[in-house]
């Protein structure tokens, strides 16, 4: 898998603590992976979900919502940019698919001061380019359709190690 832009960096923690690869073979397994992330999420966490159309990005977001205790139906906010859900922590679910670049994302208000109080999940984070914060968890999903998913969870941020550990 290609390394996402901005995911590099050095740390004194073992690399194994900051990166894990897993395989899911069903939608339910992808949701369950997201749920494990949501259970250990803390205020201010940023989760960037990378993958092609149909990779399961929204399914992962649904799982994170479950882990945050959110009972609402989570749908992709493609046409409105961001949905907010109330749970143990607020979930800000952002979809940048329809945007061209960081200028569009910033003009669209996808960065919000309220997000520090909750968990932000961004689909299509590559649209943010160089303004994408380095202190984030990247979830890269390879696979579409009915095939299994190879999922890499990685961060350069030591404080997010708990999220990587939750995936194991």
């Amino acid at each position: 898998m290609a390394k996402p832009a901005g995911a590099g960096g050095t740390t004194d923690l073992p690399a194994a603590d900051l990166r894990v690869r897993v395989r899911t073979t069903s939608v339910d397994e992808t949701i369950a992976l997201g749920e494990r992330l949501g259970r250990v999420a803390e205020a201010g966490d940023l989760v960037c979900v990378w993958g092609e159309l149909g990779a399961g990005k929204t399914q992962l977001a649904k799982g994170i919502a479950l882990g945050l205790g959110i009972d609402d139906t989570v749908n992709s906010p493609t046409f409105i940019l961001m949905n907010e859900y109330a749970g143990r922590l607020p979930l800000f679910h952002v979809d940048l698919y329809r945007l061209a670049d960081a200028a569009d994302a910033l003009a669209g208000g996808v960065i919000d001061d309220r997000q520090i109080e909750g968990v932000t999940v961004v689909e299509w984070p590559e649209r943010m380019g160089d303004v994408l914060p380095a202190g984030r968890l990247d979830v890269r999903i390879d696979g579409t359709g009915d095939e299994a998913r190879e999922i890499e969870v990685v961060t350069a941020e030591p404080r997010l190690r708990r999220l990587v550990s939750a995936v194991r």
Side-chain angles (χ1 to χ4, degrees):
M1 285 182 215
K3 184 170 152 184
T10 60
T11 179
D12 57 355
L13 295 171
D17 287 346
L18 299 173
R19 177 184 310 265
V20 67
R21 289 181 188 228
V22 296
R23 179 181 178 95
T24 61
T25 58
S26 68
V27 169
D28 289 342
E29 287 182 7
T30 301
I31 290 171
L33 187 149
E35 186 172 3
R36 292 193 303 274
L37 291 172
R39 283 190 199 128
V40 300
E42 295 178 0
D45 287 352
L46 172 62
V47 179
C48 293
V49 188
W50 307 73
E52 298 298 320
L53 280 172
K57 296 180 296 295
T58 301
Q59 299 305 320
L60 187 87
K62 288 178 182 188
I64 292 171
L66 287 172
L68 290 170
I70 295 168
D71 294 327
D72 294 338
T73 300
V74 173
N75 293 310
S76 179
T78 301
F79 294 101
I80 57 171
L81 296 183
M82 182 172 70
N83 284 330
E84 182 178 349
Y85 302 93
R88 172 178 64 80
L89 295 168
L91 172 64
F92 301 94
H93 183 198
V94 179
D95 187 328
L96 303 179
Y97 179 71
R98 301 237 177 252
L99 302 185
D101 56 27
D104 281 353
L106 295 173
V110 298
I111 296 187
D112 187 318
D113 290 340
R114 299 171 302 146
Q115 291 170 344
I116 196 71
E117 302 298 325
V119 176
T120 303
V121 174
V122 179
E123 296 185 32
W124 302 97
E126 60 272 22
R127 303 294 201 269
M128 295 215 40
D130 291 340
V131 301
L132 190 60
R136 67 183 190 266
L137 181 77
D138 286 312
V139 179
R140 273 202 163 303
I141 305 174
D142 282 338
T144 60
D146 292 333
E147 63 191 45
R149 305 297 194 264
E150 298 295 330
I151 301 174
E152 180 181 50
V153 179
V154 62
T155 186
E157 178 62 46
R159 79 170 194 85
L160 297 175
R161 179 172 57 182
R162 69 190 138 69
L163 293 167
V164 175
S165 294
V167 172
R168 290 191 168 95

